[in-house]
Amino acid sequence: MRLRKGKVIPRDDGKRIEEFVGAATTGTDSASVARMLAPPGWAEPAQRPEFDEVVLVLKGELTLVIEGRRERIAAGEVGLVPRGKRVVYRNDGKGACDYWSVCAPAFRPERAHMEAPAPPKTENVVTLQVAHPQGKEFGRLLTTWARDYLTRLSLAHCELSLSLVDDRAIRRLNRTWRDKDKATDVLSFPAGDLPKGTPGPRPLGDVVISLDTAKRQAKEYGRPLESEMARYLAHGLLHLLGHDHERPRDAKRMAALEEELLGERGMVADSLQVDAKARRARSLM
């Protein structure tokens, strides 16, 4: 029997399977032969098949992770996956992988014992840009705090961008975007809303912190520099999420959230205390 054309098996993961011999085409149960085309980045959930599988790679590279051990099968090479072994098939290369698969007995979905797909990752992404000559040592701290704050706020699958700059840079941003020609402690630039269905993490926006101002304010108020920067980060992040302190009720809410994140009073609570003292002073005049 000459078989020049197989049957394409429908898939929803981008992989093309054309079976020439097997249960779906010739009704053969003892063996199956199929040609596969796996796109770059493709991967299947782990499985523990009841059949032996031989793969012959024609083009590209196929990665087999058998019982936790990774094997890369390059073009012109042959790989063997013994039955009963836990295996993950994937294409880690930059191009498509074209290969033949021979299974004995024939491939059947119920014989593959494929595990349920892993749930999509919902980890938050935090990126940091350091534009201050003394800022590198604080990068890891800021990133760790940011991830912790996002978790405490019950946020998932979000992307937050941080920048650590000097007074000159933050003054330029303050002048450009707020018409205030002076350095400040922290600025927030919320991201716009993306169309529904846009892939990837949801961008929250950018928080820009001045290390120069943090050093100056920490010294003035007798706080550790790390504590000062944590205050700026919490304050800036809450602004990205739509919180403000213009009205008393909103200010109290934002102050409470800052305290939840920091474990101590934050910037808004300090400003509320200053305002209360000023009002008391005026009432005594």
Side-chain angles (χ1 to χ4, degrees), residues 168-205:
R168 188 168 75 170
I170 207 164
R171 179 177 180 175
R172 183 169 60 249
L173 290 170
N174 209 21
R175 180 175 62 245
T176 301
W177 297 102
R178 301 177 68 223
D179 291 324
K180 295 185 178 182
D181 191 12
K182 63 178 182 178
T184 188
D185 39 31
V186 57
L187 292 174
S188 298
F189 298 95
D193 293 330
L194 295 177
K196 289 185 178 180
T198 301
R202 175 170 67 94
L204 300 178

Side-chain angles (χ1 to χ4, degrees), residues 104-127:
F107 173 88
R108 290 180 181 272
E110 61 271 21
R111 286 175 175 165
H113 299 290
M114 191 172 292
E115 298 176 5
K121 292 184 177 180
T122 57
E123 294 180 357
N124 294 306
V125 177
V126 178
T127 60

Side-chain angles (χ1 to χ4, degrees), residues 49-77:
E50 294 179 18
F51 46 79
D52 296 314
E53 182 170 7
V54 175
V55 294
L56 171 60
V57 177
L58 304 177
K59 182 180 179 181
E61 183 180 82
L62 181 67
T63 297
L64 306 175
V65 185
I66 305 172
E67 296 292 351
R69 182 178 177 181
R70 185 178 64 179
E71 298 282 357
R72 292 179 174 175
I73 315 300
E77 295 182 336

Side-chain angles (χ1 to χ4, degrees), residues 107-148:
F107 173 88
R108 290 180 181 272
E110 61 271 21
R111 286 175 175 165
H113 299 290
M114 191 172 292
E115 298 176 5
K121 292 184 177 180
T122 57
E123 294 180 357
N124 294 306
V125 177
V126 178
T127 60
L128 174 70
Q129 179 182 6
V130 177
H132 191 290
Q134 300 170 353
K136 286 186 178 180
E137 60 184 291
F138 299 104
R140 184 177 296 179
L141 273 177
L142 280 172
T143 302
T144 300
W145 292 335
R147 290 199 178 104
D148 179 58

Side-chain angles (χ1 to χ4, degrees), residues 85-98:
K85 300 290 186 179
R86 186 177 188 271
V87 59
V88 174
Y89 298 82
R90 66 186 193 221
N91 180 5
D92 295 339
K94 296 182 179 179
C97 179
D98 186 359

Side-chain angles (χ1 to χ4, degrees), residues 179-256:
D179 291 324
K180 295 185 178 182
D181 191 12
K182 63 178 182 178
T184 188
D185 39 31
V186 57
L187 292 174
S188 298
F189 298 95
D193 293 330
L194 295 177
K196 289 185 178 180
T198 301
R202 175 170 67 94
L204 300 178
D206 300 83
V207 174
V208 184
I209 293 172
S210 171
L211 181 54
D212 292 340
T213 297
K215 287 182 175 181
R216 192 167 54 252
Q217 296 276 54
K219 184 176 181 180
E220 180 179 349
Y221 294 105
R223 284 190 288 260
L225 177 56
E226 292 81 1
S227 175
E228 190 71 16
M229 290 179 26
R231 288 158 57 88
Y232 296 173
L233 175 59
H235 189 83
L237 174 58
L238 290 174
H239 272 310
L240 287 186
L241 298 175
H243 296 280
D244 63 53
H245 40 88
E246 298 300 320
R247 296 180 296 181
R249 184 174 62 181
D250 295 334
K252 288 181 180 179
R253 172 61 178 158
M254 189 170 177

